[in-house]
Amino acid sequence: MAALITENFKFVSLFFKSKDVMIFNGLIALGTVASQTMYNIFAFDCPCSSGRNYLYGLAAIGVPALAFYLVGIMLNKSTWDLVSECRLRRCRKLSGAAAFAVLGTIIGRAAVAPVTWAVISLLRGEAYVCALSEFVDPSTLEGFPSGQGLEVMARFPCKATVPQEMQGFWAEIERRLKYESQLLGWLMVAGMAVVLFLLLCMKRCCSPLGYQQEAYWSQFRSNEHDLFQRTADVHSRILAVESVKSYFGFVALEKEEKQQLEEHQSASPISSTEWNRITGICLYREKKGLPLYSRLNKWAQYSVENNIDAMEKEMDTLS
């Protein structure tokens, strides 16, 4: 049993660490579905009052979607690359095509969770029924008592509050509103599928890279990011060791940390200029026919040549 749990945990860990965009977006969508289900079970409670139902129903769909959207933007690394680009270089080399590509990536990735939330909310129908129950025309319901106002119609999402003589109309009103809600949900799914297909086609048609090279580029950036993070962790620990040792006179290190310290004695602080050179947006470029896949890759190529002037010019170039 312990071995089985360990293997399953390893599988889940690898799955969640995957850098594949489709898997990542799928995880976001599944998390959104789970959040929406929990919200409806524990939090959604229609006020069943005229004037409040509509606002509450819209808020139940729109506010979480907006929150998911903003969180998606904040968690996207490209957002902060764009902010850094504007801060460091005032976006003076950011062409219209480059800006469109970057913003499209940020917005597209951030839209996965809110669109999923809106679709699931519409397919479930509770928020839509709550929001629009008071706007159902009583004259379209056969046998419905005349002279009933919005206040009575607003009570229908809460079956227990509906007057006894109108209880028989509850199922018809709920069925009608859920039909409209689910129809809008499926139309949204179809619309997003078409938009996604067209965007993918446009991306493939406009990309200067072939499918295999684009996949290689994605893998290169993923590997570079992982190696950079691991190396930065070790580098910062070594510099921290020097600071702590200079204050206390000794450092309490684990065995592995002592080995790392012995292996990397040459670590030294990195200037702000060098950090700024590898920070910001980088789109695909070539140098003498060879690809430059990232700002760090550019920096490495020009550092080998020790051509500072060319480096300064190239590091300000995006596309």
Side-chain angles (χ1 to χ4, degrees):
M1 180 61 69
L4 180 62
I5 294 174
T6 301
E7 289 302 317
N8 286 333
F9 180 77
K10 289 180 180 178
F11 171 77
V12 173
S13 298
L14 290 173
F15 185 76
F16 275 88
K17 289 178 181 178
S18 173
K19 300 301 186 296
D20 186 86
V21 173
M22 296 301 293
I23 293 179
F24 182 76
N25 289 343
L27 292 175
I28 293 177
L30 288 175
T32 307
V33 171
S35 301
Q36 207 277 342
T37 303
M38 296 295 290
Y39 173 80
N40 278 279
I41 293 174
F42 296 108
F44 187 83
D45 189 12
C46 186
C48 297
S49 174
S50 178
R52 298 178 182 175
N53 285 12
Y54 185 69
L55 294 177
Y56 185 81
L58 290 182
I61 298 175
V63 172
L66 177 62
F68 279 127
Y69 182 70
L70 294 178
V71 170
I73 290 178
M74 288 187 291
L75 294 180
N76 195 327
K77 180 179 177 294
S78 297
T79 301
W80 307 114
D81 284 339
L82 181 59
V83 171
S84 298
E85 191 66 41
C86 294
R87 181 179 64 85
L88 296 173
R89 287 171 280 275
R90 302 292 186 270
C91 294
R92 60 180 179 270
K93 296 293 185 178
L94 189 60
S95 64
F100 178 80
V102 174
L103 290 175
T105 299
I106 295 172
I107 294 173
R109 292 288 294 273
V112 174
V115 169
T116 303
W117 177 276
V119 168
I120 297 301
S121 296
L122 290 172
L123 292 180
R124 290 182 63 87
E126 285 91 343
Y128 188 91
V129 171
C130 177
L132 296 183
S133 61
E134 62 183 286
F135 300 108
V136 174
D137 186 0
S139 63
T140 61
L141 300 170
E142 186 176 354
F144 195 86
S146 60
Q148 303 299 327
L150 296 178
E151 189 64 42
V152 174
M153 301 305 298
R155 296 181 186 177
F156 273 90
C158 306
K159 187 177 181 181
T161 65
V162 179
Q164 187 64 35
E165 65 273 14
M166 301 180 189
Q167 289 279 347
F169 297 97
W170 177 81
E172 173 64 23
I173 292 175
E174 184 187 45
R175 181 168 58 249
R176 181 183 298 185
L177 291 175
K178 282 196 172 182
Y179 152 75
E180 295 175 1
S181 178
Q182 292 179 0
L183 179 62
L184 288 175
W186 288 120
L187 288 176
M188 184 178 289
V189 170
M192 292 305 300
V194 172
V195 169
L196 180 61
F197 172 75
L198 293 177
L199 288 176
L200 288 176
C201 290
M202 185 171 66
K203 177 185 175 183
R204 297 301 180 192
C205 293
C206 298
S207 175
L209 307 178
Y211 175 77
Q212 293 294 341
Q213 188 178 5
E214 192 164 327
Y216 178 86
W217 184 14
S218 177
Q219 191 63 47
F220 173 90
R221 288 184 296 181
S222 174
N223 290 330
E224 183 185 69
H225 176 74
D226 289 342
L227 292 171
F228 187 89
Q229 292 300 320
R230 292 207 301 269
T231 305
D233 180 64
V234 174
H235 186 274
S236 61
R237 184 180 294 111
I238 292 172
L239 296 184
V241 164
E242 296 178 2
S243 300
V244 174
K245 186 176 181 179
S246 66
Y247 186 82
F248 288 103
F250 72 96
V251 182
L253 295 173
E254 300 290 341
K255 182 178 179 181
E256 181 181 352
E257 292 173 333
K258 290 181 180 179
Q259 292 176 350
Q260 290 177 346
L261 187 61
E262 294 174 357
E263 293 175 2
H264 307 288
Q265 291 288 344
S266 59
S268 58
I270 301 173
S271 67
S272 296
T273 301
E274 298 303 322
W275 281 110
N276 291 339
R277 283 173 176 168
I278 66 169
T279 301
I281 297 171
C282 179
L283 301 181
Y284 179 80
R285 281 180 62 79
E286 292 185 357
K287 177 177 179 289
K288 299 179 180 179
L290 297 177
L292 299 173
Y293 289 124
S294 67
R295 297 195 71 88
L296 182 59
N297 190 209
K298 287 182 181 182
W299 182 91
Q301 294 290 336
Y302 283 92
S303 292
V304 170
E305 299 176 357
N306 198 26
N307 191 340
I308 302 300
D309 293 336
M311 177 187 291
E312 290 289 348
K313 181 179 179 180
E314 180 61 33
M315 298 313 285
D316 275 347
T317 303
L318 295 174
S319 60

